[in-house]
């Protein structure tokens, strides 16, 4: 059964930090590349960070230098360390393969107050 379960979001002041995590079923975790996506109200979903099984990493320009993606292959868990958060980072954050499969989790809401 394919599952993606995100957690660890919350409400934080600008400049603060959060560390969402994503528990994924093994079939997804075996995928070469995994990523964190986000979707703000009225906006398209966008990929902000991705990591391969060999830990090659890429970030969108909007989060580069502030966010760090990592994966624990033994625990089938993906993480996103988010530092120096800004109001424009407010969104629902999702994990999925890169490119994504049709199944999505419920996401975890990150709200940054200015």
């Amino acid at each position: 059964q394919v599952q993606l379960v995100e957690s660890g979001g919350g409400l934080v002041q600008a400049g603060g930090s959060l560390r969402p995590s994503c528990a994924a079923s093994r079939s997804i975790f075996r995928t070469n590349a995994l990523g964190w996506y986000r979707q703000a109200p009225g906006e398209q979903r966008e990929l902000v960070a991705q990591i391969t099984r060999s830990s090659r990493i890429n970030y969108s320009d909007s989060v580069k230098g502030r966010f760090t993606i990592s994966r624990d292959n033994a625990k089938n868990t993906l993480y996103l360390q988010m530092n120096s958060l800004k109001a424009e980072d407010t969104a629902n954050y999702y994990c999925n393969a890169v490119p994504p499969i049709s199944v999505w989790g419920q996401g975890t809401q990150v709200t940054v107050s200015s």
Side-chain angles (χ1 to χ4, degrees):
Q1 184 178 359
V2 174
Q3 274 194 315
L4 293 159
V5 181
E6 301 91 349
S7 62
L11 172 63
V12 64
Q13 288 188 332
S17 299
L18 286 171
R19 192 189 188 218
S21 60
C22 168
S25 54
R26 193 167 60 174
S27 61
I28 295 177
F29 226 79
R30 285 177 174 173
T31 302
N32 184 37
L34 297 171
W36 281 97
Y37 300 76
R38 69 185 182 187
Q39 187 169 23
E43 302 288 335
Q44 297 268 21
R45 189 172 294 171
E46 63 168 335
L47 176 66
V48 297
Q50 59 180 300
I51 182 170
T52 68
R53 283 189 63 85
S54 59
S55 295
R56 291 183 66 181
I57 291 172
N58 280 295
Y59 298 101
S60 67
D61 288 343
S62 60
V63 307
K64 195 175 296 181
R66 301 187 297 119
F67 290 10
T68 303
I69 189 172
S70 61
R71 62 191 288 169
D72 186 331
N73 292 332
K75 295 181 179 179
N76 294 340
T77 302
L78 187 70
Y79 302 97
L80 186 67
Q81 179 66 47
M82 309 165 70
N83 298 329
S84 302
L85 282 161
K86 305 175 181 179
E88 51 263 43
D89 294 319
T90 295
N92 205 17
Y93 284 73
Y94 304 86
C95 64
N96 209 316
V98 180
I101 63 171
S102 60
V103 175
W104 291 86
Q106 81 288 350
T108 187
Q109 178 67 35
V110 171
T111 303
V112 184
S113 62
S114 57

